[in-house]
Amino acid sequence: MVSYRYPRECTAIIDVTKPPYSLDNTGREDCTTKLRKIIDDVMSAYEAEFYKTKAKLESMEDPNALISFEIRKVNGRTNVIFPENLPPSKIIYFPNGTYLVSDTISYFKEEFRNILSGLRHLEMNCQLRFMGESMDGVTIKLKDNLPAFEYGNDRPVISFIQGEASNIAMTNMLENLTISVGKGNPGATGVRYFANNTGAVRNVRIISEDPEYRGNTGFSVLNEKISACYVKNLEVIGFNYGIKVTPAVLHTTFEHITLKHQNRVGFYAGNTVISIRDLISENQVPVLKIDGKIGIVTLTDAVFTGGNPLETAIRYNYGQCFLRNIKSEGYEYIIREDMTFTSAPSVKDYLKEYCSHGPKFAFEQENAYSLNLPVLDTPEVLWDEPENWVSVNSFGAKGDGINDDTDAIRAAMNSGKSTVYFNPGRYLINGVIEIPKTVKRVNFMYCDLASGEKLCKMADTGTFLVKEDSNEPLIIEDLFAFEKFFGYMTFLEHASKRTVILSDVHVQTASIYFNTVKGGKVFMENTGGTIGGIPGAGRRKAPLPGEEKFPYDRTRPFFKFWGQEVYCRQINPERALHEVVNDGGLLWVMGCKTEEEGIAYETLNGGFTEVIGGIFTIGLGMEHPAIINNESSVSVFAGTSGMKTWQTWPIAVRETQNGVTKELKREDMPPIFMESYTIPLYIGRKQK
């Protein structure tokens, strides 16, 4: 059992058992009121910064005033999507023990919404992070037989959203704990989750202790605009539905999932783009029900056991799907033709590969299957004991966004400690910081960064540099660098063959990664942001007034991999004209979102790229193709989406082989809604 413990000096941690909250972790006292107080206190700090920003913008006389990329006036109307200054980062931490609750654990703020065009807009449920010491040691337990959780309800024990939608729910996290809905609570749902752009659930078990496994849903995603949800190592025992994902259009990603003893359906898939890998099911009911008319679902590497011999494991009713490497025991069929509204085949014990609406080719192919690239799991990096951690603050870093913290951070990196961490704050950086081979983990604790005047002009340069080789992987994690970290630089330059992992890294207004040495391995989980710039820049002929004070370069790739072996789970690059570039390497992606008109994936010089599920959003009707395959091998199953009819990609794929170029256009692809369409397993292999 991994025990996730932090140093006492780590001020981002709210230990719920310590004053001022002092929760009981013996399972005897009801913790509901105190837990709600903790969450409301965290959310209140965000809300206070938001209203400071609102007042500042309203006081500016210019009808088109800009505070940052997205905090601005448009013809006198205010857009305050989020605060100019993030509050100090906090993680709600549960030491091992049992925490008894009697109602939903969430925030309770009736007017907790941001402002668009002068009007109240969407929920501001951002930076809500729960962290347990261990999955086996921490249990949040619902009392038995509660009237509010009777049959007919869908009432969560933990909820990340109260309104109908959100657009700024970044870095919402749930990790390393167990949630029990107790006994006699058939209307209980374990978790209602929500995030935008970056958010993750890891090492979580959700159980019904009811003798009949009663409960509504174990893990649910129901609210609109969900746009990042990476779920890893989730086990759900019991409930009518193990997992239920229903909102329209945007995407969720699930990996290493175990479902047991569901009463109706293991995984219910609605209208969302859903990527699922390594699903283990022990059930008699259908494992997967695909029911969304505009849903796009991928399922790979699954094993079903215990099935009912009269039942079909996958009920495929609507939408589009891609299925690969699925084994089944006990069910009559994995998928059955006369049980669907499509032309799916009847398959019994093993399904090699099936794509409902493809494949599509620009050039004739000998092999009509996906690339099926080999996949490596993200390496586990040992979680050090607290005495092996060191903070940048102990070397003089201020984290006030004013004083230059570059040298202090360098000193911490060279301290010989294996884990370097940041206390809450905004750290001003004005030069390159090398991460030596002695460091195995850099944990930003969701702090903020700011780029100094010198750094922001340093094109083709990484703010952080991995230069030394090592057999030990390096993990860089838990960063929320916001709108003060902008410029021509990149967050990370990888100049060695050392294995690098980026996990839960959100960089709002700068590119994230490039490498200058070939041959290394890179793993990314839940990593994204934007290249910078005000939304809609691609359709403007000139910058907005004042925009020149925020330098950025949309021609710079958000991620650029040169000769690397790369494995990505839930990435979210936005606003670059080249979102992801694979130059001669191997790139495997499960779950992604891109945004605006840039090329989503560009593969060249004999590279191999496989994208299994994702969505390319808000194309601007321009001539940039969504996919470029230049003398390489590519397979993609993904969707496109826009909020207006012109927000599309007229060209889905541009492929060049042996100097000949062909295109697949929007009209060649199956539609979803308006001008949006699916790329239903495009396959283009390098020609001999």
Side-chain angles (χ1 to χ4, degrees), residues 42 90 105 181 322 344 386 413 428 437 505 567 601:
V42 171
K90 296 296 179 184
I105 304 306
V181 302
F322 172 73
M413 293 293 176
L428 180 65
K437 63 183 179 181
V505 171
Y567 304 91
Y601 289 89

Side-chain angles (χ1 to χ4, degrees), residues 264-285:
R264 294 186 183 175
V265 176
F267 196 125
Y268 183 90
N271 285 310
T272 315
V273 179
I274 304 171
S275 301
I276 312 165
R277 176 177 176 262
D278 187 28
L279 171 62
I280 308 298
S281 172
E282 298 177 18
N283 271 304
Q284 289 200 326
V285 299

Side-chain angles (χ1 to χ4, degrees), residues 30-60:
D30 191 335
C31 297
T32 306
T33 300
K34 289 182 178 180
L35 277 172
R36 288 177 169 180
K37 176 72 164 63
I38 295 171
I39 297 168
D40 274 348
D41 285 351
V42 171
M43 295 290 103
S44 292
Y46 187 94
E47 187 178 32
E49 291 294 340
F50 174 84
Y51 281 111
K52 287 181 186 177
T53 304
K54 177 177 179 289
K56 178 178 177 179
L57 184 63
E58 289 176 342
S59 70
M60 299 169 73

Side-chain angles (χ1 to χ4, degrees), residues 382-637:
L382 178 68
W383 187 270
D384 278 335
E385 293 298 317
E387 55 266 25
N388 293 322
W389 291 48
V390 65
S391 76
V392 299
N393 310 84
S394 65
F395 288 87
K398 301 296 184 184
D400 58 8
I402 300 171
N403 290 281
D404 188 340
D405 290 322
T406 309
D407 287 340
I409 297 170
R410 286 172 178 160
M413 293 293 176
N414 292 314
S415 66
K417 295 290 187 178
S418 55
T419 296
V420 176
Y421 76 96
F422 292 65
N423 276 314
R426 173 181 284 159
Y427 294 83
L428 180 65
I429 301 175
N430 213 15
V432 176
I433 296 168
E434 185 173 343
I435 304 174
K437 63 183 179 181
T438 53
V439 175
K440 299 177 184 178
R441 182 184 301 271
V442 178
N443 192 318
F444 285 93
M445 306 297 290
Y446 303 106
C447 75
D448 196 0
L449 302 179
S451 50
E453 184 177 355
K454 178 182 175 183
L455 177 65
C456 76
K457 297 176 182 178
M458 296 173 66
D460 303 315
T461 301
T463 306
F464 292 87
L465 172 65
V466 180
K467 191 175 180 180
E468 295 183 336
D469 282 319
S470 172
N471 293 326
E472 297 283 348
L474 166 68
I475 184 168
I476 299 171
E477 64 184 355
D478 298 357
L479 175 65
F480 193 24
F482 217 53
E483 290 204 322
K484 300 295 185 182
F485 187 73
F486 59 81
Y488 303 124
M489 76 295 174
T490 295
F491 169 68
L492 182 68
E493 178 182 346
H494 191 181
S496 75
K497 293 185 179 181
R498 186 180 188 183
T499 295
V500 170
I501 304 158
L502 274 73
S503 177
D504 307 331
V505 171
H506 186 119
V507 177
Q508 181 69 9
T509 50
S511 62
I512 284 186
Y513 176 96
F514 75 98
N515 66 294
T516 52
V517 173
K518 295 166 60 175
K521 290 186 175 68
V522 182
F523 297 83
M524 293 195 178
E525 292 187 355
N526 186 42
T527 293
T530 83
I531 202 73
I534 296 171
R539 289 180 65 85
R540 295 195 302 271
K541 294 182 179 179
L544 293 177
E547 191 176 356
E548 67 279 354
K549 65 183 178 181
F550 305 119
Y552 65 96
D553 181 6
R554 297 188 71 220
T555 66
R556 183 172 303 281
F558 193 84
F559 298 118
K560 185 174 182 181
F561 307 109
W562 174 51
Q564 301 289 79
E565 193 174 321
V566 185
Y567 304 91
C568 298
R569 283 95 170 159
Q570 200 306 88
I571 56 174
N572 183 195
E574 296 184 13
R575 299 186 201 161
L577 296 179
H578 308 269
E579 305 280 24
V580 184
V581 176
N582 173 16
D583 184 354
L586 181 150
L587 171 63
W588 177 86
V589 179
M590 184 186 71
C592 67
K593 178 175 79 70
T594 70
E595 190 166 312
E596 299 209 11
E597 82 279 17
I599 301 159
Y601 289 89
E602 184 172 355
T603 309
L604 61 155
N605 293 324
F608 292 82
T609 296
E610 181 171 46
V611 178
I612 304 175
I615 191 156
F616 313 144
T617 67
I618 314 181
L620 299 181
M622 304 173 77
E623 293 305 305
H624 304 288
I627 304 293
I628 285 182
N629 178 354
N630 191 345
E631 309 287 356
S632 298
S633 298
V634 176
S635 63
V636 175
F637 183 88

